[in-house]
Amino acid sequence: MKNKRKIPLVVISDVHLGTYGCHATELLHYLKSIQPKTLVLNGDIIDMWNFSKSYFPASHMNVLRHIIKMSTNGTRVIYITGNHDEVLRKYSDLILGNFELVDKLILDLDGKKAWVFHGDVFDSSTQGYAKIIAKIGGKGYDLLILINSFVNWLLVLSGKEKRSFSKIIKDSVKKAVSFITNFETTAAEIAIDKKYDYVVCGHIHKPQMKVVKNENGSVMYLNSGDWVENLTALEYKNSKWFIYEYKKEHYNLLESKEEAVVENYMTKILS
């Protein structure tokens, strides 16, 4: 695409390359449509917990190739480690040209401080024996995604909308809802104590943008969501944050080469 959207900062997380649930093709469409000055990969980009030699499709490799291409072409790419790619933490603070590997990040955005990290530090299920159970659960999650894909195929054939089983389960289980709420509150309160203006996380696959207040102050809490269930990213432009949500129809327009129309349309929906 010639007329890419120029964005100062884009944050994506929880892509889970190497798993059946990853929407790599959709992510590649999105990445090809933007030209960010800085691209933050906020953890769980490559799923090394569930990595298998028998499953890493070309579409997943193409995402990595394109990110490298973006870095080569001048985009600052910052990879923040998560729990599913924690093996990379032994190489933290590595810098190769425009590519950086870190565990956490502080950005200066128009005079305001943004604290960016994956968020698994708040999750006890990523520690010790619970971590082993979580890895086993990851295999079950992959199976659920496969079943969900087959059911969605049948739904589309019958003219009905797709449904996400995992999303329905998460939204209906009180314990999961409580965990997400506690996660957001904990991240926000620590950020307030540290006097940050923004706290940006991933990990819980729940896109969010809200102001959290307590007796000590306030902070804007943001979560980039994921590219398994929600297909979302965070974009920062003109001193404002936006949650971007992938829509297939945006890219149908791209394929018809109506680039000026698409640029105006994308600007309108994100403003």
mmCIF file of all heavy atoms in Angstrom, residues 120-139:
data_model
loop_
_atom_site.group_PDB
_atom_site.id
_atom_site.type_symbol
_atom_site.label_atom_id
_atom_site.label_comp_id
_atom_site.label_asym_id
_atom_site.label_seq_id
_atom_site.Cartn_x
_atom_site.Cartn_y
_atom_site.Cartn_z
ATOM 1 N N ASP A 120 2.504 -9.922 33.106
ATOM 2 C CA ASP A 120 2.466 -11.240 33.746
ATOM 3 C C ASP A 120 3.026 -11.222 35.162
ATOM 4 O O ASP A 120 2.787 -12.152 35.933
ATOM 5 C CB ASP A 120 3.241 -12.258 32.895
ATOM 6 C CG ASP A 120 4.678 -11.840 32.638
ATOM 7 O OD1 ASP A 120 4.883 -10.818 31.953
ATOM 8 O OD2 ASP A 120 5.604 -12.517 33.115
ATOM 9 N N VAL A 121 3.727 -10.143 35.529
ATOM 10 C CA VAL A 121 4.269 -10.019 36.879
ATOM 11 C C VAL A 121 3.140 -10.014 37.915
ATOM 12 O O VAL A 121 3.350 -10.370 39.078
ATOM 13 C CB VAL A 121 5.123 -8.733 37.009
ATOM 14 C CG1 VAL A 121 4.276 -7.488 36.848
ATOM 15 C CG2 VAL A 121 5.880 -8.707 38.337
ATOM 16 N N PHE A 122 1.924 -9.648 37.507
ATOM 17 C CA PHE A 122 0.784 -9.607 38.428
ATOM 18 C C PHE A 122 0.014 -10.923 38.462
ATOM 19 O O PHE A 122 -0.975 -11.042 39.187
ATOM 20 C CB PHE A 122 -0.199 -8.496 38.017
ATOM 21 C CG PHE A 122 0.387 -7.115 38.053
ATOM 22 C CD1 PHE A 122 0.021 -6.179 37.090
ATOM 23 C CD2 PHE A 122 1.293 -6.737 39.022
ATOM 24 C CE1 PHE A 122 0.548 -4.897 37.114
ATOM 25 C CE2 PHE A 122 1.834 -5.466 39.050
ATOM 26 C CZ PHE A 122 1.470 -4.543 38.095
ATOM 27 N N ASP A 123 0.438 -11.899 37.674
ATOM 28 C CA ASP A 123 -0.327 -13.129 37.498
ATOM 29 C C ASP A 123 0.378 -14.301 38.165
ATOM 30 O O ASP A 123 1.400 -14.783 37.671
ATOM 31 C CB ASP A 123 -0.509 -13.395 35.996
ATOM 32 C CG ASP A 123 -1.460 -14.545 35.707
ATOM 33 O OD1 ASP A 123 -1.868 -15.233 36.666
ATOM 34 O OD2 ASP A 123 -1.778 -14.762 34.532
ATOM 35 N N SER A 124 -0.179 -14.802 39.262
ATOM 36 C CA SER A 124 0.446 -15.906 39.991
ATOM 37 C C SER A 124 0.421 -17.204 39.197
ATOM 38 O O SER A 124 1.188 -18.128 39.480
ATOM 39 C CB SER A 124 -0.266 -16.120 41.334
ATOM 40 O OG SER A 124 -1.630 -16.443 41.130
ATOM 41 N N SER A 125 -0.449 -17.304 38.184
ATOM 42 C CA SER A 125 -0.535 -18.535 37.391
ATOM 43 C C SER A 125 0.646 -18.708 36.449
ATOM 44 O O SER A 125 0.776 -19.725 35.784
ATOM 45 C CB SER A 125 -1.841 -18.556 36.580
ATOM 46 O OG SER A 125 -1.801 -17.589 35.546
ATOM 47 N N THR A 126 1.526 -17.696 36.377
ATOM 48 C CA THR A 126 2.715 -17.815 35.529
ATOM 49 C C THR A 126 3.942 -18.165 36.372
ATOM 50 O O THR A 126 5.065 -18.108 35.892
ATOM 51 C CB THR A 126 2.983 -16.497 34.769
ATOM 52 O OG1 THR A 126 3.278 -15.450 35.708
ATOM 53 C CG2 THR A 126 1.786 -16.103 33.933
ATOM 54 N N GLN A 127 3.724 -18.549 37.630
ATOM 55 C CA GLN A 127 4.813 -18.848 38.544
ATOM 56 C C GLN A 127 4.758 -20.323 38.984
ATOM 57 O O GLN A 127 3.688 -20.898 39.161
ATOM 58 C CB GLN A 127 4.722 -17.963 39.804
ATOM 59 C CG GLN A 127 4.337 -16.521 39.530
ATOM 60 C CD GLN A 127 5.499 -15.671 39.085
ATOM 61 O OE1 GLN A 127 6.625 -15.928 39.485
ATOM 62 N NE2 GLN A 127 5.229 -14.666 38.274
ATOM 63 N N GLY A 128 5.915 -20.948 39.195
ATOM 64 C CA GLY A 128 6.023 -22.266 39.807
ATOM 65 C C GLY A 128 5.161 -23.343 39.183
ATOM 66 O O GLY A 128 5.041 -23.473 37.970
ATOM 67 N N TYR A 129 4.501 -24.174 40.083
ATOM 68 C CA TYR A 129 3.661 -25.278 39.608
ATOM 69 C C TYR A 129 2.476 -24.760 38.795
ATOM 70 O O TYR A 129 2.029 -25.406 37.853
ATOM 71 C CB TYR A 129 3.146 -26.101 40.791
ATOM 72 C CG TYR A 129 4.210 -26.908 41.478
ATOM 73 C CD1 TYR A 129 4.576 -26.650 42.789
ATOM 74 C CD2 TYR A 129 4.872 -27.936 40.790
ATOM 75 C CE1 TYR A 129 5.564 -27.390 43.423
ATOM 76 C CE2 TYR A 129 5.866 -28.685 41.415
ATOM 77 C CZ TYR A 129 6.219 -28.411 42.732
ATOM 78 O OH TYR A 129 7.188 -29.127 43.345
ATOM 79 N N ALA A 130 1.963 -23.594 39.178
ATOM 80 C CA ALA A 130 0.828 -23.021 38.456
ATOM 81 C C ALA A 130 1.192 -22.757 36.998
ATOM 82 O O ALA A 130 0.355 -22.839 36.106
ATOM 83 C CB ALA A 130 0.380 -21.728 39.128
ATOM 84 N N LYS A 131 2.471 -22.476 36.763
ATOM 85 C CA LYS A 131 2.938 -22.220 35.401
ATOM 86 C C LYS A 131 2.841 -23.494 34.556
ATOM 87 O O LYS A 131 2.443 -23.445 33.384
ATOM 88 C CB LYS A 131 4.386 -21.729 35.455
ATOM 89 C CG LYS A 131 5.033 -21.504 34.100
ATOM 90 C CD LYS A 131 6.439 -20.984 34.294
ATOM 91 C CE LYS A 131 7.180 -20.911 32.986
ATOM 92 N NZ LYS A 131 8.559 -20.412 33.163
ATOM 93 N N ILE A 132 3.160 -24.632 35.163
ATOM 94 C CA ILE A 132 3.072 -25.909 34.445
ATOM 95 C C ILE A 132 1.622 -26.195 34.082
ATOM 96 O O ILE A 132 1.311 -26.600 32.962
ATOM 97 C CB ILE A 132 3.635 -27.054 35.320
ATOM 98 C CG1 ILE A 132 5.133 -26.805 35.606
ATOM 99 C CG2 ILE A 132 3.435 -28.403 34.634
ATOM 100 C CD1 ILE A 132 5.729 -27.781 36.600
ATOM 101 N N ILE A 133 0.725 -25.944 35.030
ATOM 102 C CA ILE A 133 -0.701 -26.151 34.783
ATOM 103 C C ILE A 133 -1.181 -25.219 33.678
ATOM 104 O O ILE A 133 -1.970 -25.602 32.806
ATOM 105 C CB ILE A 133 -1.506 -25.915 36.082
ATOM 106 C CG1 ILE A 133 -1.124 -26.975 37.116
ATOM 107 C CG2 ILE A 133 -3.011 -25.951 35.801
ATOM 108 C CD1 ILE A 133 -1.695 -26.724 38.496
ATOM 109 N N ALA A 134 -0.680 -23.981 33.713
ATOM 110 C CA ALA A 134 -1.076 -23.002 32.695
ATOM 111 C C ALA A 134 -0.623 -23.441 31.308
ATOM 112 O O ALA A 134 -1.336 -23.250 30.319
ATOM 113 C CB ALA A 134 -0.482 -21.633 33.037
ATOM 114 N N LYS A 135 0.565 -24.055 31.229
ATOM 115 C CA LYS A 135 1.063 -24.538 29.937
ATOM 116 C C LYS A 135 0.188 -25.664 29.408
ATOM 117 O O LYS A 135 -0.123 -25.729 28.212
ATOM 118 C CB LYS A 135 2.514 -25.021 30.077
ATOM 119 C CG LYS A 135 3.528 -23.896 30.220
ATOM 120 C CD LYS A 135 4.944 -24.442 30.240
ATOM 121 C CE LYS A 135 5.973 -23.321 30.292
ATOM 122 N NZ LYS A 135 7.357 -23.815 30.275
ATOM 123 N N ILE A 136 -0.225 -26.566 30.311
ATOM 124 C CA ILE A 136 -1.124 -27.654 29.913
ATOM 125 C C ILE A 136 -2.446 -27.070 29.451
ATOM 126 O O ILE A 136 -3.029 -27.498 28.452
ATOM 127 C CB ILE A 136 -1.340 -28.627 31.096
ATOM 128 C CG1 ILE A 136 -0.016 -29.321 31.454
ATOM 129 C CG2 ILE A 136 -2.408 -29.655 30.745
ATOM 130 C CD1 ILE A 136 -0.078 -30.147 32.720
ATOM 131 N N GLY A 137 -2.904 -26.054 30.186
ATOM 132 C CA GLY A 137 -4.139 -25.368 29.805
ATOM 133 C C GLY A 137 -4.039 -24.733 28.439
ATOM 134 O O GLY A 137 -5.023 -24.654 27.694
ATOM 135 N N GLY A 138 -2.831 -24.299 28.082
ATOM 136 C CA GLY A 138 -2.605 -23.697 26.777
ATOM 137 C C GLY A 138 -2.880 -24.671 25.647
ATOM 138 O O GLY A 138 -3.387 -24.299 24.581
ATOM 139 N N LYS A 139 -2.562 -25.944 25.865
ATOM 140 C CA LYS A 139 -2.839 -26.978 24.855
ATOM 141 C C LYS A 139 -4.346 -27.152 24.680
ATOM 142 O O LYS A 139 -4.848 -27.295 23.566
ATOM 143 C CB LYS A 139 -2.201 -28.309 25.276
ATOM 144 C CG LYS A 139 -0.684 -28.267 25.415
ATOM 145 C CD LYS A 139 0.011 -28.022 24.087
ATOM 146 C CE LYS A 139 1.523 -28.073 24.238
ATOM 147 N NZ LYS A 139 2.233 -27.771 22.975
#
